[in-house]
Amino acid sequence: MIKGRHEANILINSCSLCGLCQKVCPEGLNLGELCQEVRMEMVKKGKMPPSAHDFPIRDMKFSNGEQCVLTLHQPGCNASSHAFYPGCQLTASAPEHVQRAYTYLTQKLSGGVG
Ligand code: SF4
C-alpha cells in the first residue's frame, strides 16, 4: 500500500481509526494503526494529498473567491430577468451544447438571460 497502489487508497481512506478491529481480533491486530501509518507515509512521499478532501476544499475556496465570478447580462441588455447557469462539467465537456441552450433561451425568454 505504501508503494502507492492507487486501488488501495479507498481501503486505507475508508478506515475511521476507531480501533474496533483491535478489540474484536483474537490477536489484537489494529488495522487502524496500519492505515494511519500508511496514510502518513504516502502523504510524506507525495503519493496522497494531505487529505482526500484536499483538492475539493481548495477548489471550493477558489470557486467561492473573487477570482472565480463571472456574471454577464445578455449581450445588448443591461438587466437580466433570468439566469442561465449551465454548471462547469457540461461547459467543459460540451461547450457547443451550452452555447445552443443559451441561444435557445435568449430567443424564447424576454427580459434578458444572464
Ligand atoms: S479497520 Fe479497524 S480501526 Fe479502521 S474502521 Fe475498521 S475497525 Fe475501525
Side-chain angles (χ1 to χ4, degrees), residues 11-12 14-24 29-35 39:
L11 171 72
I12 61 176
S14 298
C15 175
S16 64
L17 311 177
C18 69
L20 180 63
C21 49
Q22 187 176 31
K23 287 185 180 165
V24 298
L29 177 65
N30 187 334
L31 282 175
E33 283 180 358
L34 175 64
C35 290
R39 286 178 196 165

Side-chain angles (χ1 to χ4, degrees), residues 62-89:
F62 174 78
S63 298
N64 285 313
E66 290 182 11
Q67 294 176 319
C68 195
V69 174
L70 175 64
T71 54
L72 296 172
H73 293 303
Q74 181 178 327
C77 296
N78 57 10
S80 299
S81 62
H82 299 83
F84 177 52
Y85 180 75
C88 56
Q89 186 62 48

Side-chain angles (χ1 to χ4, degrees), residues 15 31 34 43 46-47 57 62 85 87 90-91 101-103 105 107:
C15 175
L31 282 175
L34 175 64
V43 168
K47 293 189 179 287
I57 289 170
F62 174 78
Y85 180 75
L90 180 61
T91 306
Y102 182 70
T103 300
L105 292 172
Q107 292 167 349

Side-chain angles (χ1 to χ4, degrees), residues 5-15 35 39 48:
R5 290 192 56 99
H6 199 67
E7 318 85 70
N9 286 6
I10 292 173
L11 171 72
I12 61 176
N13 281 325
S14 298
C15 175
C35 290
R39 286 178 196 165
M48 181 183 284

